[in-house]
Amino acid sequence: MNKKILILFFIASGSLSSFGQEFQGMAVYESKTSTTDFKSRMEGNKELTPDMQKMIEERMKLMFEKTFLLYFGKTTSVYKEEEKLEAAGQNPGFRMMSNMMGSGGTFYKNTKEKTYAVDKEFMGKEFLIQDSLPKLAWKMEKETKQIGGYTCFKATAVREASKTDFRNFRMKKREEEKKEGEGKTNLLDELNLPKEITITAWYSPEIPISQGPENYWGLPGLILEVNDGKTTILCSKVVLNLKDKVEIKAPTKGDIISQQKYDETVIKKMEEFREMGGGRNGMQIRMGN
């Protein structure tokens, strides 16, 4: 154990003694995924009218900008999207992609047992994913910064990009598409998936809970910010020692499935979606001229 980690351990140990067994806190996170490459391709599409572009951008904002609430105890947490009214008339293709933007129902983590559970709806079917928490090889960095009045330390890790998380995809460059042949393609044919993604996390030992948004965990303090490829998840508010506590428990609805089996199911459906030409109701959109 190096000197820096040892210091953080004692900071966390000393602070943890002030957190009672019934301790519970809440954190608000703002998740935003960059859509620059998608917008640049739309601007070059002569088939899209200004009204169509505006409609698509509004729907993309619903998919790529979300607010989440994290309720956490000493070893367990639940992470859930803040409820908002869904845009009227949202077509099935966009709704399917929205379900692949890191949302879902309740994401439950148990850091003591190193397990998680999350309920997701995909194409009209409810799934209950139950699996072991991912083990990221965090590298402790020297940088620090302030987030919401808390001193945060930097940590980085590299992991394989998820094939079922739409936020990981990038628009192909025009040169790549020309090599594959021009013609009217669907949206999925114009996307690339990187093999690996570098994760940058900022955590605070002042809140000595090994928790964070989504499936991020394993650091000696609450993770207040995550930069995951094109996505940034930033904590905007922390409340410790909640007076009105919520029940932190794992979801129970849906067909139980492992993460691997769920990913295989989604990938299979995506391939079927591609073979159908990208779907109906306007999803077959050429993103460039």
Side-chain angles (χ1 to χ4, degrees):
M1 183 179 292
N2 64 42
K3 185 176 180 181
K4 183 176 180 181
I5 296 177
L6 187 63
I7 292 173
L8 292 177
F9 173 78
F10 282 116
I11 291 174
S13 298
S15 301
L16 193 58
S17 62
S18 63
F19 288 71
Q21 194 66 32
E22 300 300 320
F23 162 79
Q24 189 178 112
M26 183 272 289
V28 180
Y29 290 89
E30 308 295 336
S31 175
K32 186 173 183 179
T33 301
S34 173
T35 59
T36 302
D37 53 345
F38 287 91
K39 290 181 179 179
S40 63
R41 297 296 291 274
M42 278 198 302
E43 290 172 357
N45 189 341
K46 298 178 181 179
E47 297 178 13
L48 296 179
T49 65
D51 287 341
M52 291 172 64
Q53 288 191 27
K54 183 179 179 181
M55 178 191 68
I56 294 173
E57 288 181 7
E58 289 175 350
R59 289 174 175 171
M60 288 176 66
K61 185 175 181 179
L62 289 174
M63 290 191 293
F64 289 93
E65 296 183 22
K66 297 175 179 290
T67 300
F68 292 86
L69 302 178
L70 175 72
Y71 290 93
F72 55 89
K74 293 178 68 174
T75 59
T76 59
S77 68
V78 289
Y79 183 73
K80 191 173 184 178
E81 183 180 354
E82 184 179 57
E83 293 184 4
K84 295 180 180 178
L85 293 176
E86 187 178 27
Q90 192 179 49
N91 74 45
F94 276 99
R95 189 159 53 247
M96 184 189 77
M97 290 185 184
S98 184
N99 289 336
M100 298 168 65
M101 299 307 301
S103 48
T106 299
F107 197 114
Y108 170 85
K109 293 197 295 288
N110 187 318
T111 58
K112 184 178 180 180
E113 298 178 359
K114 297 180 175 58
T115 59
Y116 72 93
V118 56
D119 52 337
K120 283 181 174 289
E121 180 185 342
F122 184 72
M123 300 192 76
K125 187 173 181 179
E126 292 186 356
F127 294 93
L128 179 58
I129 304 170
Q130 295 179 344
D131 219 316
S132 299
L133 282 168
K135 296 180 180 179
L136 292 176
W138 291 110
K139 178 183 177 183
M140 304 302 192
E141 307 286 357
K142 296 180 179 179
E143 293 98 318
T144 64
K145 70 176 180 178
Q146 294 286 314
I147 299 178
Y150 292 98
T151 299
C152 294
F153 294 80
K154 182 180 180 181
T156 58
V158 177
R159 73 174 183 185
E160 183 181 356
S162 170
K163 295 180 181 180
T164 60
D165 188 341
F166 197 76
R167 295 171 300 179
N168 293 328
F169 288 81
R170 280 86 170 121
M171 295 297 299
K172 290 180 181 178
K173 295 180 180 179
R174 294 301 295 161
E175 292 75 15
E176 293 178 279
E177 290 188 36
K178 289 178 181 178
K179 289 181 180 179
E180 296 174 7
E182 290 290 349
K184 192 154 186 171
T185 60
N186 64 67
L187 180 58
L188 293 178
D189 286 333
E190 300 191 20
L191 301 175
N192 262 337
L193 177 69
K195 293 182 179 180
E196 295 180 332
I197 292 179
T198 298
I199 313 298
T200 300
W202 295 88
Y203 63 96
S204 177
E206 296 172 24
I207 309 174
I209 304 297
S210 184
Q211 293 284 352
E214 296 187 11
N215 61 354
Y216 299 105
W217 72 293
L219 290 168
L222 180 65
I223 298 173
L224 297 183
E225 181 179 342
V226 173
N227 296 297
D228 180 346
K230 299 197 305 177
T231 300
T232 297
I233 306 173
L234 177 63
C235 181
S236 59
K237 180 181 180 181
V238 176
V239 180
L240 301 178
N241 296 310
L242 285 177
K243 293 182 180 180
D244 299 323
K245 294 180 173 58
V246 302
E247 188 175 12
I248 297 178
K249 64 178 182 179
T252 58
K253 293 183 179 181
D255 293 342
I256 297 176
I257 192 171
S258 68
Q259 186 68 61
Q260 181 179 345
K261 290 295 184 181
Y262 175 79
D263 290 347
E264 291 173 356
T265 300
V266 172
I267 292 170
K268 181 181 178 180
K269 291 298 181 181
M270 287 176 64
E271 289 299 328
E272 293 176 359
F273 191 70
R274 173 185 282 111
E275 291 173 3
M276 291 190 298
R280 302 174 182 175
N281 299 321
M283 276 305 298
Q284 188 172 346
I285 298 173
R286 181 182 171 84
M287 299 298 286
N289 54 18

